Amino acid sequence: MSTGPRPTWEAWANSVPPLACASTREPCHDPAATATRLAQARLADQYMVYETEGGVWHFAAGSAVSVTANATGITARAAGRTWTSRTDRQPLTAFATALSALRDAERHFYGWAAFELSHLLHADPAATGDHPLLHVLIPSVEVTLTGDRTLVRAVDEAWTRKVADLLVEAPAQRNAPDELSPESTEGVIAAGAGAYGEAVARTVADIRAGLLEKAVVSRKVPLPPEPRVDFPATYLAGRRANTPARSYLMDLGGYRAAGFSPETVLEVGEDGRVSTQPLAGTRARVADPVENERRRVELLTDPKEIHEHAVSVRLAWEEMEAVCRPGSVTVEEFMAVRPRGSVQHLASRVTGRLRPETGPWDAFASLFPAITATGVSKGAALRALARHEEGPRGLYGGAVFRGSTGGGLDAALVLRTLIGRANEVWLRAGAGVTAQSSPEREIEETCEKLRSVAPYLRYTKN
């Protein structure tokens, strides 16, 4: 083991094996099912499926190379060795420094950021806790599934063969996983609603007292340990029914997740273009298109929803200006309505060009956590959430991401997600609370959002 206060990140990077084996294969007809099947094969103890824009799925597996950071320390692993260092309460800076050592390796990485990182960036460092805040995997094998090809890259032929066998073999016939009845699903969704309404009322009082402008207050819905939730089956069933901006399935760094994110925290291209996609303002979606259109029009004219959305876009603009070239920030789209599973949202997109001296992690530090998962101002909203929410959020409201050593970063906001850690599994949903909010409407909104996941929960058969 190599340890020390100042690790040589270049030595760690030199221990990262290259993806020396690459092959291109015929496209698969169902990339979501193929990616899920790769996850179900448990090729390694850590993996991630990440769906990017345009219906492109990525599967990554292998845990030999990783980086994990908390508020006080960072640990990197490669080639059976471990490097550790202090972070001096700047884990994101240490994390970015470690990954920058891979700049000549032409690799992708996959990981997550916990919501509590936000306390170090914007609020009270003492509220951060001692759990991991950032975790990234540099995979041993990566499979990219597109409409016209399947690309496999691996560290050696053994990994290539493992994946190739799974890609060509017929899918195994599996017993259909169990699912909840509609009545049981609604019972899951309603759990804890009364206490949540009280938290909304207290937040409204804070807002009317001038402590903040908006807070996104959430509630946790624990699921029983038995029957056991099947994460891959839940992911595939939920993806069939949802229309996410990004989707992901992972068992990585201590978290399991199957999610259908309605928006990205940020997207950074290797050319320095950066964008963020705030969504705020919600109405339910139903089977009747006429009723959906009525709700869409109502959403576009509701003063509370418009105010909630406008303040989110305003702050996103300010956060982008902090890292982008002067004059480059613009609102490319404003108050479109986007369908996202069981709901429809007001959506905007703010874009810009990074300054020459800034990189993707500078943009991440400015924009994280997403304003639509916190509130306005962020610092005041985080303090309000600490008062009115029960326990830490963990992965919820944080980010799941895929990045490149060339400077690209694509980070999905963790909402509409089934989450597991240790022996606990749960759902969580929130609503934007403003001075015009009522507890009844915000409870209803969390139920609407939970219906993007809860009806698609699947359970392993005993």
Side-chain angles (χ1 to χ4, degrees):
M1 176 181 290
S2 297
T3 62
R6 296 294 175 191
T8 303
W9 293 120
E10 287 72 18
W12 168 72
N14 290 336
S15 300
V16 176
L19 294 181
C21 300
S23 62
T24 301
R25 301 172 181 273
E26 292 297 314
C28 57
H29 76 281
D30 190 341
T34 300
T36 303
R37 189 166 78 248
L38 291 171
Q40 289 171 323
R42 301 300 302 188
L43 295 173
D45 60 345
Q46 295 193 68
Y47 70 83
M48 182 186 286
V49 172
Y50 191 83
E51 178 193 4
T52 54
E53 193 170 17
V56 177
W57 268 262
H58 304 275
F59 169 78
S63 59
V65 183
S66 64
V67 183
T68 306
N70 61 20
T72 58
I74 183 168
T75 300
R77 295 181 175 87
R81 301 172 64 196
T82 301
W83 289 258
T84 64
S85 178
R86 296 185 302 270
T87 61
D88 299 324
R89 304 196 76 81
Q90 294 183 317
L92 191 54
T93 300
F95 195 70
T97 300
L99 289 175
S100 69
L102 289 168
R103 56 188 172 273
D104 296 328
E106 297 183 6
R107 295 292 295 272
H108 292 109
F109 52 82
Y110 297 76
W112 52 258
F115 182 80
E116 280 63 44
L117 174 64
S118 61
H119 293 294
L120 283 178
L121 297 173
H122 305 289
D124 178 12
T128 303
D130 57 2
H131 292 292
L133 302 175
L134 295 148
H135 181 82
V136 75
L137 164 76
I138 296 91
S140 300
V141 63
E142 183 178 25
V143 182
T144 299
L145 305 162
T146 71
D148 58 0
R149 65 174 182 167
T150 298
L151 176 62
V152 181
R153 301 178 69 208
V155 296
D156 56 34
E157 287 292 346
W159 274 104
T160 302
R161 286 193 298 272
K162 289 179 186 178
V163 170
D165 291 344
L166 289 168
L167 290 173
V168 299
E169 71 183 23
Q173 293 296 318
R174 297 176 178 269
N175 293 327
D178 290 332
E179 57 187 277
L180 295 178
S181 67
E183 295 78 14
S184 297
T185 298
E186 287 300 307
V188 168
I189 288 170
Y196 177 74
E198 294 171 3
V200 169
R202 293 194 300 270
T203 306
V204 170
D206 284 352
I207 293 170
R208 292 177 179 173
L211 299 181
L212 69 161
E213 191 170 354
K214 170 190 171 182
V216 182
V217 183
S218 67
R219 63 185 178 98
K220 185 176 181 179
V221 181
L223 300 178
E226 295 294 338
R228 188 159 54 91
V229 177
D230 185 326
F231 276 75
T234 296
Y235 171 75
L236 188 57
R239 183 58 188 87
R240 300 292 198 214
N242 272 280
T243 49
R246 300 289 186 271
S247 72
Y248 41 84
L249 169 67
M250 71 178 200
D251 189 339
L252 184 63
Y255 277 110
R256 291 161 288 147
F260 319 101
S261 175
E263 63 184 281
T264 55
V265 179
L266 82 166
E267 302 157 49
V268 184
E270 294 188 0
D271 61 356
R273 183 181 187 273
V274 58
S275 72
T276 187
Q277 185 188 36
L279 270 66
T282 305
R283 285 293 184 274
R285 291 179 69 224
V286 295
D288 182 0
V290 175
E291 176 61 15
N292 278 334
E293 175 62 18
R294 186 194 70 78
R295 296 183 186 194
R296 187 187 75 86
V297 172
E298 180 182 85
L299 180 59
L300 286 166
T301 56
D302 186 296
K304 184 267 180 184
E305 306 287 8
I306 293 171
H307 173 257
E308 179 187 348
H309 186 81
V311 297
S312 298
V313 174
R314 183 193 72 207
L315 187 58
W317 176 290
E318 294 170 356
E319 292 174 340
M320 291 278 283
E321 280 194 320
V323 294
C324 288
R325 297 178 183 181
S328 70
V329 178
T330 184
V331 179
E332 288 192 352
E333 179 181 60
F334 184 66
M335 275 185 37
V337 177
R338 291 280 176 265
R340 292 289 185 257
S342 59
V343 295
Q344 49 191 324
H345 291 296
L346 293 177
S348 295
R349 182 172 291 279
V350 185
T351 65
R353 290 278 174 181
L354 290 178
R355 296 175 184 172
E357 69 275 15
T358 61
W361 293 107
D362 298 297
F364 187 87
S366 185
L367 289 160
F368 183 87
I371 185 60
T372 49
T374 49
V376 181
S377 65
K378 269 189 183 176
L382 287 167
R383 288 187 287 272
L385 296 180
R387 290 192 299 272
H388 303 311
E389 290 188 346
E390 182 178 351
R393 286 185 172 184
L395 195 62
Y396 176 84
V400 169
F401 54 80
R402 177 181 188 263
S404 72
T405 55
L409 183 62
D410 190 287
L413 174 57
V414 179
L415 303 176
R416 321 293 149 77
T417 298
L418 170 70
I419 303 172
R421 188 172 181 86
N423 295 321
E424 188 180 8
V425 180
W426 66 93
L427 302 173
R428 193 159 190 151
V433 178
T434 69
Q436 297 83 30
S437 290
S438 70
E440 295 76 17
R441 170 55 198 152
E442 307 309 348
I443 290 171
E444 180 184 11
E445 182 171 321
T446 62
C447 292
E448 292 167 354
K449 292 172 177 176
L450 287 165
R451 292 188 186 102
S452 288
V453 184
Y456 312 108
L457 293 173
R458 298 294 183 264
Y459 298 87
T460 57
K461 287 185 176 293
N462 295 326

